Amino acid sequence: MALEIEVTIGSVLLNQNLSAANDFYMLKETPALLSTLSTRKSDKDKQGGHGTEDSLSQYEARILPFKGEIHASSQALRKTMENNLIQAIGLSVAQDFDGDDGYKLLLIADEDGIGKQIYAKVIDPPEFELLDTAAPEMRKFSFVMYSKDPALYAQALNSEDGPESFLTTTLTVQDGDLPTFGDSDLMVIQDTYAATLTATNNGTFGTPPVIVVSGPATDPRVKNTTTGREMDFSNGAGVGLLAGETLTINVANQTIIKTSTLGVETDQSGALTTASDWIFVEPGDNDFTLQDATPADLSGQLLVQWRDAWI
């Protein structure tokens, strides 16, 4: 049997338990549910020439149009199911950016069998229409939700950890069997990283990880050697981590927090050098390294957590 998209919002199950023996919400037009994505860009006219000067483009917020039917065993139960849906996606009477901001967690079972999730809020509240005048226990419904982050993330959280990295030298031979200096053989000396960890994103879109550096470490540098993006914490007074202290980099929230052994948290964003870039886990394998200002002491530890992402 072909898989269909199923969605869970709080206690409301959409497109699940579809049987005449059950009361259920059936989703319709499911291909449109996860495919209404668009991009934005800004152009300016070329002076004295055809065309435009193009800018970088970004994905816009994701719009999720829900359409479906309610099937209940009685008119009263159908009305209860309508109210349950309104409540599950509805806005709080007292919204707060640090609390209930209207966003709901949507758990999605996609057609590929992978559990995905997205946070979204309602922008067009539910509307209900008659499905059949002779069947008051059934109704059509439609509503639209909005997600400021266009990516879909895996429900499963991935995690990899490893020790502090160090540089080592390898010798490779090109165009020959022996490391000679003749015309046909070339010995290449190459610096490589030892003690790397690999984070694999099985999705289709780069995903923002949470990176944790555990001390002792002095002015740590975290690098995704696959993409070349690095975060260096040696600006100003830098960052010093004692044993038991951590530096947590939340790329999605763009926060950098040091936690002491007593649990005291301090913002360390000022220690990030201007040449640094926020690091993402791109689709496929990503090799991460951790280095610091004391290469003779390799006591630091690196942890990378991420969810696979799709666009």
Side-chain angles (χ1 to χ4, degrees), residues 91-122:
L91 303 176
S92 171
V93 67
Q95 294 191 58
D96 188 338
F97 281 114
D98 294 326
D100 187 350
D101 59 358
Y103 277 85
K104 310 294 182 180
L105 176 62
L106 279 58
L107 300 177
I108 301 168
D110 206 349
E111 293 177 278
D112 54 13
I114 299 175
K116 299 170 184 176
Q117 66 181 42
I118 190 170
Y119 283 91
K121 67 179 181 181
V122 63

Side-chain angles (χ1 to χ4, degrees), residues 6-8 38 81 86 89 118-119 133 139 148 157-159 176 185 187-188 202 204 251 254 298 305:
E6 300 176 352
V7 182
T8 301
S38 57
M81 293 175 68
I86 292 170
I89 66 174
I118 190 170
Y119 283 91
T133 55
R139 283 290 188 274
K148 58 187 176 182
L157 179 65
N158 300 308
S159 180
D185 296 310
M187 180 173 64
V188 178
N202 291 306
T204 62
V251 177
Q254 297 198 349
L298 301 176
Q305 295 179 315

Side-chain angles (χ1 to χ4, degrees), residues 6 24 30 42 44 51 62 73 84 94 96 105 132 135 150 155 162 220 228 243 248-249 265-266 279 307:
E6 300 176 352
F24 57 84
T30 53
S42 58
K44 63 178 181 180
R62 183 180 288 273
S73 54
N84 289 344
D96 188 338
L105 176 62
D132 188 332
Q155 294 175 25
T248 302
I249 306 154
E265 297 183 347
T266 54
I279 296 174
R307 296 180 190 273

Side-chain angles (χ1 to χ4, degrees), residues 172-287:
T172 61
V173 180
Q174 297 180 356
D175 300 323
D177 296 325
L178 297 175
T180 67
F181 293 94
D183 293 336
S184 61
D185 296 310
L186 177 64
M187 180 173 64
V188 178
I189 301 175
Q190 188 176 25
D191 287 336
T192 58
Y193 289 102
T196 63
L197 68 82
T198 301
T200 302
N201 176 1
N202 291 306
T204 62
F205 192 60
T207 186
V210 172
I211 302 168
V212 181
V213 178
S214 299
T218 302
D219 297 348
R221 301 188 308 279
V222 179
K223 186 173 185 178
N224 181 338
T225 62
T226 303
T227 64
R229 298 175 76 92
E230 181 180 68
M231 299 187 75
D232 183 341
F233 298 96
S234 61
N235 188 52
V239 173
L241 298 175
L242 302 175
E245 295 185 326
T246 59
L247 184 71
T248 302
I249 306 154
N250 188 319
V251 177
N253 296 339
Q254 297 198 349
T255 57
I256 302 164
I257 302 296
K258 175 182 174 180
T259 304
S260 73
T261 55
L262 298 176
V264 178
E265 297 183 347
T266 54
D267 180 14
Q268 298 293 311
S269 56
L272 188 65
T273 64
T274 56
S276 297
D277 295 300
W278 293 99
I279 296 174
F280 295 87
V281 182
E282 298 293 343
D285 292 341
N286 296 250
D287 292 330

